[in-house]
Amino acid sequence: KNEVEQSPQNLTAQEGEFITINCSYSVGISALHWLQQHPGGGIVSLFMLSSGKKKHGRLIATINIQEKHSSLHITASHPRDSAVYICAVHSGGSNYKLTFGKGTLLTVNP
Amino acid sequence: SAVISQKPSRDICQRGTSLTIQCQVDSQVTMMFWYRQQPGQSLTLIATANQGSEATYESGFVIDKFPISRPNLTFSTLTVSNMSPEDSSIYLCSVGGTYITYEQYFGPGTRLTVT
């Protein structure tokens, strides 16, 4: 069983829809990242959070440490949001290693 | 934040040859990492590039296959040696530990195809 599980694996939405991607992890963590990977392969860091909620534009990320769960929400989705969204966690200590989920492929149709 | 560039962005190589990937950061960073992403898979850490000392490799990765250099705090190289088709992947450089603990930034990746 992976330490980081994402759902769904694939998600297709119509432009304008509200989207939620979920991430559950089984280890104690110091921080959780949400990353975006476009078809070219490059990765953009969207959020890093260790508690509560963060918002940037149409993106919102929440984390519940007790439940070991995080969600990434996209409001008013747009075709340019189409990408793979990856959840990754730091297990803590001086080790900066990340453990990655397998990613969620989001396709937003116009 | 840190801005990272990688060269080359993509390459097609013949089996048995080697390719060196460069990673350049626009600021001095403590931690540099090299990841591999095989087709349809998640990212896997290859090694942590340490400035002034040997890289720290993860289980399943060895220095002879993936030699790494880190001559200063802004630059690193990863060489994929004696390539086989199984090495076809995206290779990503990332950096962390700049201003805020646990923040990481990723390069644009190098898409390698081995024929």
Side-chain angles (χ1 to χ4, degrees):
Chain A
K1 186 181 187 300
N2 287 338
E3 292 181 342
V4 181
E5 296 276 357
Q6 285 186 238
S7 62
Q9 288 187 337
N10 294 281
L11 180 57
T12 301
Q14 288 300 122
E15 184 173 356
E17 286 185 3
F18 180 85
I19 288 162
T20 296
I21 300 170
N22 296 299
C23 175
S24 297
Y25 49 90
S26 57
V27 297
I29 69 167
S30 297
L32 181 143
H33 293 253
W34 280 104
L35 309 169
Q36 180 191 56
Q37 184 174 34
H38 280 281
I43 290 178
V44 174
S45 180
L46 299 175
F47 295 103
M48 185 191 70
L49 62 166
S50 54
S51 66
K53 173 180 174 179
K54 287 189 176 180
K55 184 176 188 294
H56 182 70
R58 294 179 295 107
L59 303 178
I60 303 167
T62 64
I63 188 168
N64 185 318
I65 297 294
Q66 286 73 30
E67 294 186 4
K68 293 187 166 59
H69 182 269
S70 176
S71 293
L72 176 69
H73 305 286
I74 305 176
T75 62
S77 61
H78 190 276
R80 64 173 174 266
D81 296 325
S82 298
V84 175
Y85 291 84
I86 302 170
C87 171
V89 301
H90 280 288
S91 300
S94 60
N95 188 338
Y96 289 84
K97 276 172 54 175
L98 286 172
T99 303
F100 295 85
K102 291 190 174 181
T104 295
L105 174 61
L106 171 65
T107 303
V108 182
N109 294 317
Chain B
S1 64
V3 177
I4 305 167
S5 59
Q6 280 186 237
K7 289 182 183 179
S9 58
R10 58 176 60 227
D11 207 342
I12 301 172
C13 301
Q14 291 193 339
R15 73 171 66 214
T17 63
S18 297
L19 176 72
T20 295
I21 302 167
Q22 298 179 4
C23 176
Q24 179 76 53
V25 190
D26 68 342
S27 58
Q28 293 186 341
V29 295
T30 307
M31 314 290 287
M32 292 183 79
F33 308 93
W34 286 99
Y35 290 92
R36 181 177 74 180
Q37 186 180 32
Q38 294 176 300
Q41 301 298 313
S42 187
L43 283 80
T44 302
L45 180 64
I46 297 172
T48 303
N50 303 307
Q51 196 266 331
S53 64
E54 277 195 4
T56 305
Y57 289 84
E58 297 300 304
S59 176
F61 297 96
V62 295
I63 187 171
D64 289 347
K65 175 68 175 177
F66 297 101
I68 286 170
S69 78
R70 177 96 192 264
N72 55 53
L73 293 174
T74 63
F75 186 78
S76 178
T77 66
L78 169 76
T79 298
V80 186
S81 304
N82 188 24
M83 287 184 284
S84 66
E86 291 71 36
D87 295 318
S88 298
S89 297
I90 297 173
Y91 292 86
L92 292 121
C93 166
S94 88
V95 304
T98 49
Y99 308 103
I100 303 173
T101 305
Y102 302 129
E103 277 213 348
Q104 278 201 16
Y105 303 95
F106 290 83
T110 295
R111 187 179 292 272
L112 171 62
T113 303
V114 184
T115 60

